Amino acid sequence: RVLALPEFIKPRQVFHFARTQVNSAGPFHWHTHEYDEIFVIESGSGTHHINRSRWTLAPGDLVFMRDRDRHTFSGQALGIANLSFPRSLRKEMAARLFAGREHFYGSGPNPRCLRLKLGEARQWVARMETLGLERNPRFALELFLLQLVGASHPEWKKEKRPAAPPWLAQACAALENPEYFRL
């Protein structure tokens, strides 16, 4: 089955965020998409059946799904946070910002899968969850995707940056503490 984004969103919406729980001993509901998606495993354990491969999934896994990938899941209490958005957005961003190279997904037979620390994965999910509250959801989605790609892209992580003054480095580290956001 091919899933289309209009099945999940209203005409003026830019993306769809959902949480799903999988409780299935075997693969179910094989599908592809007419859109792109990013999902994060929040809880449980299971298997991602994708293209002709199987991946073991664990909390903290973040997967960049391409519209051409055929997949499904199996697992027990496998909690998935999912962000779906038009594939045209990825293509526009690639042309405008990455000289046509699609940094989101890589070019291999399967999409990129990152194993994040659970706290980091929760922060990305919290951001996904609040994108719809933004004044300009499309801009918020683009910014989110740019930050996610920048934080996860292996080549970009290796780039050398000038050292920040100690006071600035300490302030930036302190801002990663969720308690400061609650204030």
Side-chain angles (χ1 to χ4, degrees), residues 44-129:
S45 62
T47 302
H48 188 204
H49 306 266
I50 177 153
N51 300 328
R52 292 193 168 116
S53 303
R54 289 184 187 166
W55 302 347
T56 300
L57 294 171
D61 286 353
L62 182 144
V63 180
F64 296 82
M65 291 297 299
R66 302 167 296 195
D67 56 352
R68 67 179 180 261
D69 293 314
R70 185 173 182 265
H71 74 128
T72 188
F73 302 94
S74 60
Q76 294 304 312
L78 183 64
I80 303 169
N82 180 291
L83 180 67
S84 304
F85 53 94
R87 65 180 162 206
S88 60
L89 177 62
R90 171 181 40 95
K91 293 177 187 241
E92 288 169 23
M93 289 176 67
R96 191 174 69 238
L97 303 168
F98 304 116
R101 294 177 302 182
E102 296 186 17
H103 284 278
F104 290 51
Y105 305 94
S107 57
N110 289 315
R112 289 178 58 219
C113 177
L114 306 172
R115 182 144 291 164
L116 304 176
K117 293 179 182 173
L118 201 48
E120 185 182 4
R122 285 184 181 134
Q123 288 175 347
W124 286 112
V125 170
R127 297 220 19 234
M128 283 183 199
E129 200 169 24

Side-chain angles (χ1 to χ4, degrees), residues 153-165:
H153 198 278
E155 292 171 18
W156 294 354
K157 282 186 167 185
K158 293 176 187 174
E159 286 181 10
K160 299 285 185 197
R161 295 189 178 106

Side-chain angles (χ1 to χ4, degrees), residues 124-149:
W124 286 112
V125 170
R127 297 220 19 234
M128 283 183 199
E129 200 169 24
T130 60
L131 284 172
L133 303 175
E134 297 291 335
R135 197 173 222 189
N136 184 336
R138 179 173 168 114
F139 177 77
L141 176 61
E142 279 198 41
L143 179 60
F144 170 83
L145 292 171
L146 278 173
Q147 291 171 332
L148 182 60
V149 169

Side-chain angles (χ1 to χ4, degrees), residues 19-34:
R19 282 193 160 96
T20 305
Q21 180 123 1
V22 173
N23 287 300
S24 173
F28 74 104
H29 188 60
W30 282 93
H31 63 279
T32 59
H33 314 113
E34 290 182 349

